[in-house]
């Protein structure tokens, strides 16, 4: 059996006519840049997330970059974020000339720890970027409290968490900005790159809209220096057509995750902290990734590979130890929870169209492969083990 990490062909086959027709309508109209389809897409997503305004942009990375630009954040400013995320989260901070300040993550969720954030606030701090990693919301309420107390902006990196909820707020609707990516591997993927920023503040929405077209206030009048950060109409058409299916796909991801957790539970109990399963702590987790932690990760990964199971490592190097951030002065041991996680995390296939047989096959391969000797010969409770 082969189980790829992600296979988008089944999703396409299921709704092919809708998608092809949506794209064909844009082609027939020959309106490729902004216009009514992009506007409809922005409105639909803002409504879905629970924010007043949506601004379609060129990627998730550019969504984050534009939020920082709209706040006028630059040299001399500090932005607190997590060291355990995709590179873009910190890259954008450096790109506007500000300084990324890393606060370690919670050992259970691997999301930024509000207590560590509080320790990093200085009078130069202008923003906090929590990431809703793998599809589970970070603890944004305490982060909002810290931010309000110090007059700091909160930019949610919700690239992996569209539709995730905590206490009746959806990811992206709690902070001052919510940033989304439509990269094909996200829960809602376009046919290429795309992104969206949501905000409920009219002034911020206006700045974002201006910044994505070179800072134009009215045609050829530039109040700000922006760039070309537009969402393509073709992408908007695909995304609009896919949106009504999102909750169904998310439900399938959640069911797949629950089955893994049920099947892997006995092995996890047997292995203690040598095998850890994802834990749902903050509300409704949308499982963009199902990430286990294994002590002997690289061996388990190559065994899965030999068994035809695709996996990935999100993320092998914490951001504070990336070469390009060497001059920030961090060293090994500075953010131990993130550093430990990078050596153990392993993402399993969890996409909606997986079959139960495929999930059972993956779980079987992991249960057989974890720990030295499988099951461990030194198990303290052999009576409870089969055989
Ligand atoms: C994917 C991702 C991004 C960047 O999105 P792109 O659309 O690829 O630019 C940013 N942050 C996180 C956490 C992501 O997963």
């Amino acid at each position: 059996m082969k189980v790829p990490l992600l296979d988008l062909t089944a999703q396409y086959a299921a709704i092919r006519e809708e998608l092809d027709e949506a794209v064909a309508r844009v082609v027939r109209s020959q309106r490729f840049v902004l216009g009514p389809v992009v506007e409809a897409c922005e409105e639909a997503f803002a409504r879905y997330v629970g924010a007043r305004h949506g601004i379609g942009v060129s990627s998730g990375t550019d969504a984050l970059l534009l939020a920082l630009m709209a706040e006028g954040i630059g040299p001399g400013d500090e932005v607190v974020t997590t060291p355990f995320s995709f590179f873009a989260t910190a890259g954008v901070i450096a790109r506007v000339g500000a300084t990324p300040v890393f606060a370690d993550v919670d050992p259970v969720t691997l999301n930024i720890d509000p207590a560590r954030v509080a320790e990093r606030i200085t009078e130069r701090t202008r923003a906090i970027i929590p990431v809703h990693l793998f599809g589970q919301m970070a603890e944004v309420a305490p982060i909002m409290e810290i931010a309000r107390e110090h007059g700091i902006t909160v930019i949610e990196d919700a690239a992996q968490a569209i539709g995730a909820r905590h206490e009746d707020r959806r990811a992206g609707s709690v902070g001052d900005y919510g940033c989304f990516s439509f990269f094909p591997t996200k829960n809602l993927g376009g046919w290429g790159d795309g992104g969206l920023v949501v905000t409920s503040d009219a002034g911020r929405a206006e700045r974002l809209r201006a910044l994505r077209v070179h800072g134009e206030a009215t045609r050829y009048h530039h109040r700000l220096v922006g760039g070309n950060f537009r969402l393509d109409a073709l992408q908007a058409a695909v995304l609009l057509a896919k949106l009504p299916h999102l909750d169904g796909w998310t439900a399938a991801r959640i069911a797949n995750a629950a089955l893994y957790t049920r099947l892997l539970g006995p092995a996890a109990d047997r292995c203690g902290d040598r095998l850890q399963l994802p834990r749902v702590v903050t509300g409704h987790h949308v499982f963009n990734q199902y990430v286990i932690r294994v002590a002997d990760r690289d061996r388990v990964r190559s065994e899965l590979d030999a068994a035809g199971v695709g996996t990935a490592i999100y993320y092998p190097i914490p951001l504070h130890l990336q070469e390009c951030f060497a001059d920030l002065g961090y060293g090994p041991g500075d953010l131990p929870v993130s550093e430990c996680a990078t050596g153990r995390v392993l993402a399993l296939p969890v996409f909606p169209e997986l079959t139960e047989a495929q999930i059972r096959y993956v779980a079987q391969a992991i249960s057989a492969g974890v720990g030295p000797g499988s099951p461990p010969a030194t198990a303290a409770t052999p009576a409870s083990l089969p055989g």
Side-chain angles (χ1 to χ4, degrees):
M1 184 180 293
K2 280 250 180 285
V3 191
L5 180 65
L6 175 65
D7 177 6
L8 292 165
T9 58
Q11 185 198 82
Y12 176 53
I15 55 168
R16 178 176 180 164
E17 277 162 30
E18 290 168 50
L19 294 179
D20 289 359
E21 175 51 29
V23 168
R25 272 198 301 272
V26 175
V27 173
R28 284 195 294 269
S29 78
Q30 291 290 299
R31 289 200 63 178
F32 297 115
V33 178
L34 299 181
V37 181
V38 173
E39 281 164 28
C41 176
E42 292 173 335
E43 275 165 33
F45 276 90
R47 204 175 320 118
Y48 180 82
V49 171
R52 280 204 200 100
H53 312 277
I55 295 91
V57 298
S58 29
S59 69
T61 304
D62 289 341
L64 293 164
L65 183 65
L66 278 169
L68 291 169
M69 290 170 72
E71 289 300 301
I73 290 171
D77 297 332
E78 294 176 355
V79 178
V80 179
T81 192
T82 167
F84 197 65
S85 180
F86 179 61
F87 178 75
T89 310
V92 293
I93 300 169
R95 283 174 66 194
V96 297
T99 304
V101 174
F102 296 107
D104 211 351
V105 297
D106 175 271
V108 174
T109 61
L110 301 180
N111 274 323
I112 197 166
D113 182 340
R116 302 284 88 81
V117 172
E119 293 166 3
R120 303 281 172 183
I121 304 295
T122 72
E123 69 261 23
R124 291 170 171 247
T125 312
R126 293 282 315 280
I128 304 168
I129 309 184
V131 177
H132 304 311
L133 197 71
F134 304 144
Q136 172 163 233
M137 280 181 77
E139 282 188 72
V140 263
I143 290 173
M144 291 305 293
E145 260 173 53
I146 297 166
R148 293 298 172 248
E149 186 186 324
H150 297 274
I152 295 169
T153 304
V154 174
I155 300 167
E156 296 177 68
D157 182 341
Q160 300 179 6
I162 189 156
R165 257 184 287 111
H166 182 46
E167 288 166 359
D168 292 333
R169 299 292 294 272
R170 278 206 160 134
S173 72
V174 185
D176 301 294
Y177 299 85
C179 298
F180 294 89
S181 165
F182 302 123
F183 188 73
T185 63
K186 311 298 186 189
N187 285 15
L188 193 85
W191 286 359
D193 282 303
L196 189 101
V197 191
V198 298
T199 179
S200 288
D201 180 275
R204 289 184 165 118
E206 195 189 314
R207 284 201 294 283
L208 290 165
R209 283 186 203 288
L211 284 165
R212 84 172 159 181
V213 288
H214 300 286
E216 250 178 19
T218 54
R219 198 85 179 117
Y220 299 122
H221 292 263
H222 300 264
R223 207 182 292 147
L224 303 162
V225 178
N228 175 354
F229 294 110
R230 293 179 293 251
L231 176 69
D232 274 337
L234 285 168
Q235 296 301 339
V238 170
L239 297 166
L240 253 182
K242 282 191 172 190
L243 183 59
H245 301 282
L246 176 61
D247 287 344
W249 293 329
T250 301
R253 285 177 179 275
I254 291 169
N256 292 346
L259 182 56
Y260 272 130
T261 296
R262 187 157 62 76
L263 296 173
L264 292 171
D269 291 342
R270 197 171 74 220
C271 293
D273 68 0
R274 293 208 322 280
L275 173 65
Q276 286 171 269
L277 306 181
R279 293 237 321 260
V280 181
V281 176
T282 37
H284 176 72
H285 188 322
V286 296
F287 285 101
N288 178 240
Q289 302 296 342
Y290 185 91
V291 176
I292 61 171
R293 278 177 271 176
V294 215
D296 205 0
R297 193 257 321 272
D298 295 336
R299 183 182 56 77
V300 172
R301 187 176 192 212
S302 63
E303 284 174 12
L304 287 170
D305 182 56
V309 177
T311 58
I313 298 172
Y314 305 120
Y315 296 91
I317 304 171
L319 298 174
H320 65 289
L321 300 181
Q322 289 289 346
E323 197 180 333
C324 62
F325 292 141
D327 60 355
L328 295 177
Y330 291 87
D334 284 347
L335 300 166
V337 184
S338 298
E339 290 167 37
C340 177
T342 57
R344 292 175 161 238
V345 283
L346 188 64
L348 308 181
V350 73
F351 63 92
E353 296 80 9
L354 280 174
T355 64
E356 180 172 337
Q358 285 177 308
I359 294 169
R360 287 183 181 278
Y361 178 76
V362 176
Q364 185 74 46
I366 292 168
S367 300
V370 282
S374 352
T378 54
T381 53
S384 66
L385 293 172

